[in-house]
């Protein structure tokens, strides 16, 4: 087994999309966003910097998995954690009917939920 995620909530009438994502070295990935349904990922090559609202930032290396519940939580980071190598992963996302598969979170939305973000690493 690669991943066991529970509990999950799939929106009634959801659709699903599976993507193969490639980030070049150092690519920061998608800006802060959210999904209307759960998303499940598997890192094929490299390492993904993953940060979900309320959780500490972590690095998921090749062979590792990640998931997010979807809905309101913000997905802050999904970029390449490596400065010198490409990262590739596969992600399956489920989407509520009539909603976009991915919704970017603007500066106002980030500010309103800043208290829910886990502490950031210090330099």
């Amino acid at each position: 087994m690669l991943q066991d995620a529970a509990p999950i909530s799939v929106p009634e009438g959801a659709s699903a999309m599976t993507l193969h994502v490639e980030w070049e070295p150092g690519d920061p990935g998608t800006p802060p966003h959210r999904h209307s349904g759960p998303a499940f990922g598997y890192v094929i090559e490299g390492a993904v910097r993953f940060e979900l609202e309320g959780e500490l930032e972590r690095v998921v290396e090749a062979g590792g998995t990640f998931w997010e519940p979807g809905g309101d939580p913000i997905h802050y980071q999904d970029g390449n954690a490596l400065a010198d190598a490409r990262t590739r992963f596969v992600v399956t996302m489920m989407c509520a009917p009539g909603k976009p598969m991915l919704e970017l979170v603007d500066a106002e939305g980030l500010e309103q939920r800043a208290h829910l973000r886990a502490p950031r690493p210090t330099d």
Side-chain angles (χ1 to χ4, degrees), residues 6-118:
I8 65 168
S9 177
V10 177
E12 186 172 338
S15 60
M17 175 187 299
T18 300
L19 299 171
H20 176 252
V21 179
E22 288 193 25
W23 296 130
E24 292 302 316
D27 192 318
T30 308
H33 62 278
R34 58 176 52 109
H35 303 282
S36 61
F40 303 88
Y42 175 79
V43 181
I44 300 167
E45 172 186 3
V48 173
R49 184 169 312 286
F50 185 85
E51 182 188 358
L52 187 62
E53 187 174 83
E55 297 179 6
L56 294 174
E57 174 184 313
R58 62 189 169 104
V59 173
V60 182
E61 296 181 348
T65 63
F66 57 88
W67 86 283
E68 57 186 284
D72 213 28
I74 296 172
H75 185 177
Y76 287 98
Q77 297 187 67
D78 68 357
N80 188 345
L82 305 176
D84 60 351
R86 177 185 331 163
T87 288
R88 298 185 308 126
F89 63 95
V90 173
V91 61
T92 298
M93 302 176 287
M94 297 179 190
C95 183
K99 299 254 183 162
M101 190 61 76
L102 181 143
E103 176 187 0
L104 296 180
V105 179
D106 62 20
E108 181 180 340
L110 291 172
E111 186 177 321
Q112 290 173 350
R113 298 180 68 89
H115 65 286
L116 300 172
R117 192 172 187 179

